[in-house]
């Protein structure tokens, strides 16, 4: 399987030895991707339910040559990385190109780890997920999400036969979270002129966790404050260690933090920007910042989750207008319940990281994956944000 790619990887190893390696290259990832799609997979497990979910999920990505490597894997719980030991053991029991296993990450209580290794023992892809008592998904759901992320991280998108042999199912190459990020980036674009020593972002859901990244070169330190610990867990920003900042960006929207001249809640700043929550719903606000981040778009609120849901729905509707599309399904789940009620940031991320839309198309049609991106761009161009002096 790897013969023709051996030179490619040999060059990569040589670059590392010579100290000139600059990171992964597209052609290297493409070689792994091609080999995975063409290879024979061994699922190392003695659990028939696990094997069935693995096999069916891999089939969604076009990987059909899948066999069960029936090994009692309990002994591997004594290894430092149990799941990796499971996958590696498959090489002694079945001749395959790749072996996949899911099990414990490390110490008891550390969560799960799903990993693909090749016949030589090299790791091709891996993802971790939290302990069950944190994410609270069933085994089947957790495994489905892990395999999805395992292959998507290599750029492998699911495309498979539909409910009849005359149809195919395509999935958008971007997730619900990707759509949210792009909307947040549009908001951040109008904030690029603010600079200084310190920035405090008040309100992490949903823009706060993204806007900090977009403005990281504008400030020496960026802090994030949100009353929900599960929301804070989504961001790498520090919690505020002071009460005075150069700039405060208030993203709490309708019913959020109280903002008066120079003050947002208990925090103070030379400049305060508040997101105006109002859209066509005309939500009134008593906030008195220096600037408002305003939206020019027909929507009841300016919240990014609101806009994301509307965008994904609109995307589905417009895709259905294409001749070869039979129907489109927006893959929306009320992820907020996982974040704010279950208090699971990891569960929220899992649900948000599935493809935004799936479509059923005629098998003999000319539908292309690029159509997802083309239609999304058209929709996002309709949304505009501006900075207005209060």
């Amino acid at each position: 399987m790897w013969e023709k790619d051996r030179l490619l990887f040999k060059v990569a190893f040589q670059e590392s030895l010579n100290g000139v390696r600059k990171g992964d290259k597209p052609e290297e990832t493409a070689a792994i991707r091609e080999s995975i799609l063409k290879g024979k997979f061994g699922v190392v497990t003695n659990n028939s339910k696990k094997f069935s979910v693995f096999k069916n999920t891999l089939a969604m990505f076009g990987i059909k040559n899948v066999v069960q490597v029936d090994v009692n894997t309990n002994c591997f719980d004594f290894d430092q990385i149990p799941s990796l030991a499971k996958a590696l053991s498959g090489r002694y029991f079945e001749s395959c190109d790749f072996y996949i296993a899911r099990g414990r990450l490390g110490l008891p209580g550390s969560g799960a780890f799903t990993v693909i290794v090749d016949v030589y023992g090299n790791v091709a892809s891996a993802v971790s997920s939290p302990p069950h008592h944190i994410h609270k998904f069933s085994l089947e759901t957790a495994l489905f999400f892990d395999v999805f992320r395992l292959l998507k991280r290599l750029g492998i998108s699911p495309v498979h036969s539909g409910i009849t042999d005359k149809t195919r199912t395509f999935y958008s190459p971007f997730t619900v979270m990707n759509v949210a990020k792009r909307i947040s980036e549009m908001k951040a674009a109008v904030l690029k002129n603010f600079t200084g020593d310190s920035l405090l972002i008040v309100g992490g859901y949903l823009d706060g966790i993204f806007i900090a990244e977009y403005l990281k070169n504008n400030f020496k330190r960026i802090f994030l404050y949100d009353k929900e610990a599960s929301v804070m867990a989504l961001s790498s920003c520090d919690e505020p260690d002071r009460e005075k900042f150069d700039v405060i960006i208030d993203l709490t929207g309708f019913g959020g933090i109280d903002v008066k001249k120079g003050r947002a809640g208990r925090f103070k700043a030379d400049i305060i920007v508040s997101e105006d929550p109002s859209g066509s719903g005309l939500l009134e606000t008593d906030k008195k910042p220096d600037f408002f981040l305003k939206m020019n778009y027909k929507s009841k609120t300016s919240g990014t989750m609101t806009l994301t849901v509307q965008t994904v729905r609109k995307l589905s509707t417009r895709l259905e207008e294409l001749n070869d599309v039979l129907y489109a399904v927006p893959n929306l789940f009320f992820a907020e319940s996982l974040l704010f009620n279950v208090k699971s940031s990891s569960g929220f991320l899992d649900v948000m990281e599935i493809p935004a839309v799936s479509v059923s198309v005629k098998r003999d049609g000319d539908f292309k994956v690029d159509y997802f991106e083309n239609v999304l761009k058209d929709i996002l161009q309709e949304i505009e944000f501006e900075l207005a002096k209060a």
Side-chain angles (χ1 to χ4, degrees):
M1 176 63 67
W2 289 107
E3 288 300 320
K4 69 184 183 66
D5 297 313
R6 185 168 294 180
L7 179 60
L8 182 69
F9 295 120
K10 179 180 178 181
V11 170
F13 290 134
Q14 195 63 52
E15 287 173 346
S16 295
L17 288 173
N18 295 335
V20 296
R21 181 74 175 166
K22 300 296 184 183
D24 291 341
K25 300 174 184 176
E27 58 269 27
E28 295 162 353
T29 306
I32 297 173
R33 186 164 56 237
E34 182 182 353
S35 296
I36 283 176
L37 291 172
K38 292 180 178 179
K40 177 183 177 182
F41 265 72
V43 180
V44 186
T45 181
N46 59 343
N47 184 320
S48 58
K49 182 185 289 185
K50 267 190 180 182
F51 172 68
S52 177
V53 177
F54 264 121
K55 183 176 181 179
N56 292 335
T57 308
L58 288 169
M60 293 176 64
F61 290 81
I63 301 170
K64 301 293 179 67
N65 193 359
V66 181
V67 298
Q68 182 175 2
V69 183
D70 192 348
V71 178
N72 187 334
T73 58
N74 292 336
C75 62
F76 298 116
D77 280 348
F78 294 93
D79 198 86
Q80 289 178 310
I81 308 177
S83 185
L84 179 59
K86 286 183 186 182
L88 292 172
S89 74
R91 299 175 298 163
Y92 301 106
F93 298 97
E94 184 79 30
S95 178
C96 298
D97 300 300
F98 293 95
Y99 301 87
I100 186 170
R102 184 179 191 271
R104 204 168 69 217
L105 172 63
L107 286 171
S110 61
F113 190 55
T114 306
V115 60
I116 297 174
V117 300
D118 68 10
V119 68
Y120 303 110
N122 300 304
V123 174
S125 188
V127 295
S128 63
S129 56
H132 173 264
H133 63 84
I134 292 178
H135 65 61
K136 296 181 171 62
F137 292 139
S138 66
L139 169 66
E140 294 92 331
T141 302
L143 215 166
F144 173 82
F145 279 134
D146 279 1
V147 176
F148 228 92
R149 292 188 295 126
L150 190 73
L151 297 173
K152 286 284 287 181
R153 67 181 298 280
L154 291 173
I156 303 175
S157 296
V159 177
H160 56 85
S161 296
I163 57 176
T164 74
D165 58 7
K166 291 186 177 181
T167 63
R168 299 182 76 195
T169 301
F170 284 80
Y171 296 79
S172 64
F174 46 81
T175 66
V176 179
M177 185 67 93
N178 293 148
V179 176
K181 284 181 180 178
R182 288 168 72 163
I183 292 171
S184 283
E185 187 172 20
M186 292 163 62
K187 292 182 179 181
V190 303
L191 303 171
K192 283 288 189 180
N193 289 332
F194 292 112
T195 59
D197 245 2
S198 59
L199 166 67
L200 172 65
I201 298 174
V202 182
Y205 184 78
L206 188 57
D207 295 305
I209 63 175
F210 303 131
I211 285 180
E213 174 65 21
Y214 300 134
L215 299 180
K216 65 182 180 181
N217 295 325
N218 291 40
F219 297 88
K220 289 183 179 178
R221 292 195 70 185
I222 297 181
F223 301 88
L224 175 66
Y225 172 77
D226 196 287
K227 64 181 182 180
E228 290 284 348
S230 56
V231 173
M232 289 297 297
L234 297 173
S235 172
S236 60
C237 287
D238 294 327
E239 294 186 44
D241 59 3
R242 66 192 78 174
E243 291 193 352
K244 180 69 168 65
F245 302 86
D246 293 326
V247 179
I248 292 176
I249 298 176
D250 159 38
L251 300 169
T252 57
F254 183 61
I257 198 168
D258 183 45
V259 176
K260 297 177 180 177
K261 193 67 176 177
R263 183 182 290 271
R266 64 183 174 87
F267 303 109
K268 304 174 185 176
D270 298 328
I271 299 172
I272 298 180
V273 182
S274 286
E275 181 176 7
D276 185 347
S278 184
S280 59
L282 298 177
L283 300 174
E284 294 183 359
T285 179
D286 294 327
K287 296 182 180 185
K288 294 179 173 61
D290 298 287
F291 297 92
F292 275 114
L293 172 61
K294 288 181 170 287
M295 177 183 69
N296 297 317
Y297 185 65
K298 187 177 181 181
S299 172
K300 287 190 175 180
T301 82
S302 65
T304 292
M305 182 54 88
T306 300
L307 295 173
T308 298
V309 170
Q310 289 179 352
T311 298
V312 173
R313 285 177 180 160
K314 190 173 289 188
L315 176 63
S316 299
T317 299
R318 293 192 184 177
L319 285 167
E320 284 185 342
E321 294 171 359
L322 300 177
N323 288 334
D324 293 318
V325 176
L326 302 174
Y327 60 85
V329 180
N331 297 321
L332 296 169
F333 181 88
F334 195 57
E336 291 176 347
S337 61
L338 284 165
L339 189 62
F340 293 102
N341 298 109
V342 181
K343 307 295 184 182
S344 174
S345 56
S346 57
F348 170 79
L349 290 175
D350 280 339
V351 169
M352 291 289 283
E353 287 294 350
I354 62 176
V357 178
S358 55
V359 296
S360 177
V361 305
K362 299 175 186 175
R363 179 172 285 276
D364 58 358
D366 65 351
F367 184 87
K368 297 179 176 59
V369 174
D370 294 346
Y371 293 171
F372 287 108
E373 178 64 25
N374 296 341
V375 177
L376 177 63
K377 281 182 178 178
D378 288 341
I379 296 170
L380 293 180
Q381 285 175 358
E382 298 170 7
I383 306 173
E384 294 181 353
F385 299 98
E386 64 178 359
L387 195 65
K389 197 159 182 65

